[in-house]
Amino acid sequence: MTIGERVKKIRLFQGMTQKQLGMAVGLGEKGGKRIAQYEIDYRIPKAALLSQIAGALGVSPDALSAPNWKTPAELMYTLFAMEDQFEFHIDILDGELCLVLPITPEDDMQLREALKRWYRMWVAYRQGEISKIHYDQWRYTFT
């Protein structure tokens, strides 16, 4: 998903119009047109403006700048980089492919705790304890 597609998805999720978002980030009366250009990837907002857009949408800037994979190969190279950086590896568990993060004393505790929080939220969503809206709100504001 591109930055523009993410802006649009989250803007709609938050119930904002393009004009409202444009005004919220100081683009003036015609700001909605600029937001529309970002959403169709005609233009790409600079980092400072992307941060303002994230703030106006109430999400982390990272939620808007997540990678955009267009092909399986692009995703694979990201997974390979994760393997190098975090020692993830692929395995089969109960007949299903999965990614494994080995638990060792040297682990990045922040990453491990973040993954555990994600797992708990995903389980709560899958078991119907929280709504899709609540789950998405958590994902978009994750820090």
Side-chain angles (χ1 to χ4, degrees):
M1 188 176 283
T2 66
I3 289 172
E5 290 167 336
R6 287 185 182 281
V7 168
K8 181 177 182 177
K9 179 178 180 153
I10 296 171
R11 176 184 60 76
L12 292 172
F13 177 80
Q14 300 292 39
M16 292 180 81
T17 66
Q18 290 171 334
K19 183 175 183 177
Q20 288 170 328
L21 180 56
M23 294 290 288
V25 297
L27 296 176
E29 283 292 321
K30 299 197 181 209
K33 290 183 181 182
R34 283 264 299 279
I35 297 298
Q37 291 173 338
Y38 296 140
E39 289 181 355
I40 63 170
D41 299 314
Y42 182 74
R43 298 175 76 161
I44 298 173
K46 292 187 181 344
L49 180 57
L50 191 61
S51 184
Q52 288 180 293
I53 290 171
L57 292 172
V59 301
S60 166
D62 293 333
L64 299 178
S65 60
N68 177 32
W69 303 289
K70 293 183 177 122
T71 67
E74 289 174 340
L75 175 58
M76 290 301 298
Y77 282 109
T78 299
L79 293 171
F80 296 153
M82 290 171 58
E83 178 183 28
D84 292 342
Q85 184 172 354
F86 300 110
E87 298 182 20
F88 275 82
H89 68 270
I90 193 164
D91 207 339
I92 294 181
L93 179 64
D94 297 327
E96 295 288 330
L97 287 172
C98 62
L99 294 176
V100 178
L101 176 62
I103 299 173
T104 65
E106 301 84 39
D107 277 343
D108 181 334
M109 292 300 289
Q110 269 187 307
L111 174 61
R112 211 166 59 159
E113 289 306 312
L115 290 170
K116 285 180 183 179
R117 288 190 345 239
W118 179 22
Y119 176 74
R120 287 191 297 269
M121 291 299 289
W122 181 82
V123 167
Y125 165 61
R126 296 296 290 186
Q127 292 179 347
E129 296 169 15
I130 62 172
S131 68
K132 173 80 164 120
I133 291 171
H134 185 215
Y135 179 65
D136 284 346
Q137 188 69 42
W138 177 83
R139 292 186 317 140
Y140 298 150
T141 58
F142 178 82
T143 55

